[in-house]
Amino acid sequence: MTYGEILAHIYGLRRFGIRPGLERIATLLQRLGNPQERLRVVHVAGTNGKGSTAAFLASILAEGGYRAGLFTSPHLTRFTERFRVNGREIAEESAARVAGQVLANAPEGTTFFEVVTAMALLHFVEEGVDAAVLEAGMGGGADATSAATGILTVITPVALDHCEWLGDTIPAIAREKAGLIRAGRPVVLSRQPAGARDVFIERGRSLGAPLVCFGADFSAAWDESSLAYDGLSLQLAGLRPGIGGRYQSANAATALAAAEILADNGFRLDSSALRAGIDAARWPGRMELLSGAPRVLLDGAHNPDGARALADSLTDYPRQRLIVVTGVMSDKDAAGILAPVLPLAHEVVAVTPAVERSLDAGRLAELCREKGLNAVAGGTVAEGLDLARQRAGAQDLILVCGSLFTVGEARAILLSQRYEPFRG
């Protein structure tokens, strides 16, 4: 089959929906020769910041001279973004070949995420990576990535998200994420809300897993123009993270702490590799500024905690007016996501992203008007961007936010790239 044909087949697996559990992925990996057993895996779980943290860590490993595999989801514009080695995406031909192997061995009912997880593990073995950084899906212990036994677990901030699957309280979600903690294996814990930190500490204690915590064991703080890291055994000043946003301080610090632990476990990572990795890291669609007149800022915050971090970071972006282009999924808390950003907006253009279950632009515009905003329904993402640019002055800032799917579609349009919409 061609790449397009096999991609359509993989996307068709969404008919099986979300089905937590490890039985299918374990059977699939066994049929593939258990590629996960030939990899040194770092798990990155959490709700907010796990993609950025994983990208920082993979960049540090690459700058240290290692081949670093990075598996993330969902993709922003292209399916191949999910599988990277030292920042380079898998080629379409390789993706089709690896997918063919996985599908030929997949048990009945194997889900989309299980297939792509197996693809990542197989691809990383073929590429001879020294470390595979795996971003967990929505879960932890029941997540398909959990089929690989990691040498280190990193847990980024937990927030209320995917509550229908993970639970409707912070402790309940933390207990699910804690399923990735392994007996005797180290854990790096980022900043956590009340009710989550104690869950992770207790889980680590019960399994004899040494655990270090942001704030207690390591931290980072901004000065006027750079970031200073106060680590487990070293300090680094003058860091300039390649991923924008003040909120990246905790993500960068968490990745640096993880790198320090890896340096004590066979990876030769000196301070120059840590510094270069933080500076060289890139993560499209997260506080990504596209130059022009007006400038366009892309950020994929898709829950209230992420939106609050976005709003705080906007102080670093001078502008005359802020025009917000936003599209949200109908199964998300639209009011909660937009609440931190709307008070900063002069105008809002609501859009409907080209994925299933998107909230209608008209309904979203109405919701914004109910909050006292000057809001209009802009139609599709392309139409909304055109409208925002027509209304913006050269010194204004256009912010695209509300969902990774809105941001991904907008980024593809602005950079004239192919867009492959898919939730999963």
Side-chain angles (χ1 to χ4, degrees):
M1 289 191 287
T2 66
Y3 172 73
E5 290 169 339
I6 207 160
L7 192 59
H9 183 81
I10 294 173
Y11 283 167
L13 296 175
R14 61 184 169 183
R15 68 185 182 277
F16 295 118
I18 297 172
R19 303 171 66 192
L22 301 180
E23 298 83 3
R24 293 173 303 276
I25 185 68
T27 299
L28 172 55
L29 292 175
Q30 185 177 35
R31 292 175 180 176
L32 292 169
N34 286 315
Q36 77 280 7
E37 295 179 356
R38 287 170 277 167
L39 293 169
R40 303 185 76 187
V41 168
V42 176
H43 288 292
V44 182
T47 306
N48 290 318
K50 57 183 177 176
S52 298
T53 302
F56 276 127
L57 182 55
S59 179
I60 291 169
L61 286 162
E63 291 295 330
Y66 294 99
R67 285 180 67 76
L70 177 61
F71 171 59
T72 59
S73 61
H75 61 261
L76 194 62
T77 58
R78 298 178 304 280
F79 176 76
T80 51
E81 294 170 16
R82 296 171 184 256
F83 321 93
R84 297 182 176 93
V85 176
N86 283 11
R88 190 170 187 174
E89 295 176 25
I90 190 173
E92 291 184 357
E93 297 79 7
S94 297
R97 179 181 50 77
V98 172
Q101 290 179 255
V102 171
L103 291 171
N105 289 279
E108 180 65 28
T110 300
T111 67
F112 170 85
F113 190 69
E114 290 163 350
V115 165
V116 295
T117 298
M119 286 179 61
L121 296 170
L122 196 58
H123 177 59
F124 293 155
V125 166
E126 291 183 352
E127 287 292 310
V129 303
D130 300 299
V133 181
L134 305 184
E135 179 192 1
M138 68 176 186
D143 191 84
T145 58
S146 184
T149 300
I151 61 173
L152 170 66
T153 298
V154 179
I155 304 178
T156 66
V158 168
L160 293 175
D161 204 6
H162 300 295
C163 294
E164 67 274 28
W165 298 103
L166 305 179
D168 56 5
T169 68
I170 292 295
I173 293 173
R175 281 190 289 273
E176 167 57 29
K177 306 286 188 183
L180 275 170
I181 296 176
R182 307 300 194 192
R185 302 297 175 91
V187 180
V188 178
L189 196 62
S190 187
R191 181 188 288 124
Q192 297 293 336
R197 186 172 181 269
D198 289 347
V199 170
F200 295 125
I201 291 175
E202 178 56 35
R203 172 74 172 175
R205 184 181 297 119
S206 69
L207 293 174
L211 189 147
V212 297
C213 301
F214 180 90
D217 302 298
F218 64 94
S219 62
W222 291 99
D223 59 22
E224 289 185 3
S225 60
S226 64
L227 186 69
Y229 170 65
D230 185 5
L232 305 176
S233 60
L234 60 81
Q235 289 76 43
L236 296 172
L239 298 170
R240 291 178 171 78
I243 307 173
R246 291 265 159 173
Y247 62 83
Q248 294 293 351
S249 59
N251 297 332
T254 301
L256 287 165
E260 285 196 76
I261 290 174
L262 289 176
D264 292 334
N265 288 273
F267 288 87
R268 298 180 304 278
L269 296 168
D270 58 19
S271 60
S272 62
L274 271 62
R275 180 183 297 279
I278 292 297
D279 293 0
R282 298 292 182 270
W283 196 230
R286 282 71 168 181
M287 298 303 290
E288 182 180 13
L289 187 65
L290 303 183
S291 60
R295 295 162 300 150
V296 179
L297 181 66
L298 307 171
D299 190 74
H302 56 280
N303 57 45
D305 284 354
R308 281 189 286 273
L310 162 61
D312 290 343
S313 291
L314 284 173
T315 58
D316 293 330
Y317 296 85
R319 71 270 180 181
Q320 185 169 338
R321 297 187 311 147
L322 180 67
I323 299 177
V324 174
V325 177
T326 184
V328 182
M329 299 298 101
S330 60
D331 55 355
K332 296 291 186 178
D333 177 14
I337 292 170
L338 295 178
V341 175
L342 291 183
L344 306 175
H346 294 83
E347 295 185 48
V348 176
V349 178
V351 297
T352 305
V355 292
E356 294 177 0
R357 297 197 300 278
S358 297
L359 184 62
D360 178 73
R363 177 69 191 96
L364 184 57
E366 182 182 350
L367 185 153
C368 294
R369 287 193 293 269
E370 290 171 357
K371 304 295 182 182
L373 269 293
N374 175 16
V376 297
T380 67
V381 172
E383 292 167 343
L385 282 172
D386 284 343
L387 182 59
R389 289 161 125 178
Q390 292 170 19
R391 300 167 85 100
Q395 302 305 311
D396 292 341
L397 178 67
I398 297 174
L399 170 65
V400 182
C401 64
S403 168
L404 277 172
F405 304 102
T406 303
V407 167
E409 187 174 352
R411 188 176 191 273
I413 292 166
L414 293 167
L415 299 180
S416 300
Q417 296 177 347
R418 184 177 77 241
Y419 179 56
E420 299 172 0
F422 181 74
R423 292 191 71 183

